[in-house]
């Protein structure tokens, strides 16, 4: 096919489903990443502003969703799904049938939860051996911003009894599909908090902040435990901030770890966006898309090595 000559060998070749805020920010960052080649972009509206922005910059652009990608599956290694949790199950069925891996940026709960900085730190966050199609879930922006801090806190507490995650994002950065996903977003974020801390009593809430001018994304976590070593928690959280900043430079403390009362520890992070698509207030795009890119880098390179050994 005509576009095959554009593909650069040695790169991880990908397609993107979705031309909303998340999908276009993701596409912009992949286009400047030397490890990736964006082969195709699939939207549903020919007049989508995000899609129009990328005309002549991507070999294949289709406006009938994943159906339009069917003739092109041989030309990419994996798919990013930046649509909605309601559409993701069908997208995964098709992608799996074609033997490709998928990075799920919706809170569908279908894929295996993955937070790149927690690979091999949390038991379930590892890659499966071999080259079978794999679906990795990015959970939510709140999941990606809270999980590093929750994991760090677990290193300085004993007998956790309750966990709470509160996420505030600027309303202007949240598109229609993400708004339809809110209930799934909260459920997925809660489940990740329980998984990371080992505490089944986990609660999450999402605030779409209407402030104008928009304020930065902030994520506050509270952990109730019998024994709290605040010094150990401060060290572990600082180390995790440094780790996350390798892929998300705008991730930092808004409020450092402290104990609002006996038996309770809290920390608040904030994310300043890199401005690939929306202005820097959209840190929620940065945190989930950076996680998606790093997860795809790990997964794509793993599959390339595994195929070379077969």
């Amino acid at each position: 096919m005509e576009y095959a000559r554009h593909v650069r060998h040695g790169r991880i070749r990908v397609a993107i489903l979705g031309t909303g805020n998340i999908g276009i920010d993701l596409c912009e960052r992949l286009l400047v990443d030397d490890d990736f080649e964006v082969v195709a972009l699939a939207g549903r509206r020919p007049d989508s502003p995000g899609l129009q922005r990328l005309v002549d910059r991507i070999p294949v652009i289709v406006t009938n969703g994943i159906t339009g990608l069917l003739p092109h599956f041989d030309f990419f290694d994996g798919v990013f799904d930046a649509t909605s949790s309601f559409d993701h199950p069908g997208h995964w069925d098709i992608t799996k049938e074609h033997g490709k891996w998928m990075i799920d940026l919706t809170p569908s709960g279908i894929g295996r939860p993955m937070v790149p900085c927690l690979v091999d730190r949390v038991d379930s966050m590892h890659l499966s051996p071999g080259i079978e199609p794999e679906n990795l879930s990015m959970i939510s922006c709140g999941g990606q911003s809270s999980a590093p801090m929750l994991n760090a806190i677990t290193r300085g507490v004993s007998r956790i009894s309750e966990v709470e995650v509160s996420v505030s994002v600027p309303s202007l950065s949240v598109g229609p599909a993400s708004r339809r996903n809110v209930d799934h977003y909260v459920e997925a974020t809660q489940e990740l908090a329980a998984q990371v801390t080992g505490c089944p009593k986990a609660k999450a809430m999402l605030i779409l902040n209407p402030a104008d001018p928009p304020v930065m994304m902030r994520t506050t976590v509270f952990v109730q435990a019998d024994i709290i070593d605040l010094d150990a928690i401060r060290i572990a959280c600082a180390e995790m901030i440094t780790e996350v900043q390798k892929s998300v430079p705008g991730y930092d403390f808004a409020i450092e770890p402290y104990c609002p009362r006996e038996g309770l520890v809290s920390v608040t992070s904030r994310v300043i966006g890199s401005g690939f698509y929306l202005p820097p207030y959209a840190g929620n795009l940065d945190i989930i898309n950076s996680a998606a890119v790093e997860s795809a880098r790990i997964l794509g390179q793993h599959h390339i090595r595994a195929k070379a050994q077969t």
Side-chain angles (χ1 to χ4, degrees):
M1 290 186 177
E2 174 65 18
Y3 66 84
R5 62 186 177 86
H6 294 288
V7 177
R8 302 175 190 177
H9 296 289
R11 288 186 169 191
I12 302 167
R13 300 168 299 168
V14 299
I16 298 171
L17 289 168
T19 58
N21 291 341
I22 294 175
I24 300 308
D25 180 274
L26 173 66
C27 191
E28 291 286 4
R29 66 182 62 229
L30 286 171
L31 286 171
V32 296
D33 192 310
D34 289 340
D35 284 339
F36 292 91
E37 185 79 15
V38 181
V39 174
L41 174 67
R44 288 182 173 172
R45 293 189 298 116
D47 62 344
S48 163
L51 188 149
Q52 292 299 321
R53 173 189 178 104
L54 291 158
V55 169
D56 297 328
R57 298 172 60 195
I58 296 173
V60 174
I61 291 181
V62 299
T63 57
N64 56 341
I66 197 167
T67 301
L69 294 182
L70 293 178
H72 311 293
F73 261 88
D74 286 345
F75 289 88
F76 46 82
D77 304 306
V79 180
F80 291 90
D81 190 350
T83 59
S84 79
S85 54
F86 299 99
D87 294 320
H88 180 73
H91 294 164
W92 171 230
D93 286 343
I94 292 171
T95 302
K96 182 169 56 175
E97 285 174 9
H98 284 81
K100 308 297 181 179
W101 49 261
M102 179 164 264
I103 302 294
D104 179 15
L105 291 101
T106 82
S108 70
I110 291 176
R112 188 150 51 82
M114 181 64 68
V115 180
C117 66
L118 299 186
V119 171
D120 296 330
R121 294 176 187 262
V122 175
D123 289 344
S124 63
M125 293 186 189
H126 60 272
L127 294 180
S128 301
I131 55 174
E132 292 301 312
E134 190 157 12
N135 185 331
L136 299 183
S137 171
M138 300 300 102
I139 309 99
S140 66
C141 61
Q144 292 293 334
S145 59
S146 61
M149 295 297 95
L150 290 173
N151 177 262
I153 287 173
T154 62
R155 299 180 225 169
V157 299
S158 296
R159 295 189 294 277
I160 297 173
S161 56
E162 192 168 350
V163 176
E164 182 175 296
V165 176
S166 175
V167 185
S168 174
V169 300
S171 182
L172 284 176
S173 68
V174 182
S178 295
R179 291 172 188 269
R180 289 195 296 271
N181 289 341
V182 166
D183 288 346
H184 293 164
Y185 179 111
V186 170
E187 292 169 6
T189 305
Q190 287 177 172
E191 290 171 5
L192 180 66
Q195 178 183 348
V196 170
T197 61
C199 176
K201 193 175 181 181
K203 177 182 178 182
M205 61 190 77
L206 172 65
I207 300 165
L208 303 184
N209 192 329
D212 191 7
V215 296
M216 303 296 173
M217 176 189 183
R218 289 165 64 104
T219 303
T220 300
V221 302
F222 295 94
V223 175
Q224 185 172 297
D226 289 350
I227 300 172
I228 296 175
D229 183 339
L230 188 57
D231 288 337
I233 290 170
R234 284 173 172 160
I235 292 170
C237 283
E239 291 174 348
M240 194 58 77
I241 289 281
T242 300
E243 183 66 24
V244 176
Q245 285 177 342
K246 292 176 182 178
S247 58
V248 191
Y251 186 79
D252 207 344
F253 289 122
I255 302 173
E256 295 191 9
Y258 74 106
C259 291
R261 60 173 171 80
E262 186 176 353
L264 185 68
V265 61
S266 176
V267 61
T268 300
S269 63
R270 60 102 172 114
V271 188
I272 298 175
S274 299
F276 280 99
Y277 180 43
L278 295 184
Y281 64 73
N284 46 317
L285 302 186
D286 249 46
I287 193 75
I288 193 166
N289 281 340
S290 293
V293 171
E294 292 309 307
S295 296
R297 197 187 321 275
I298 295 168
L299 185 57
Q301 292 174 347
H302 167 76
H303 274 241
I304 289 171
R305 288 193 299 268
K307 286 179 180 178
Q309 294 171 2
T310 58

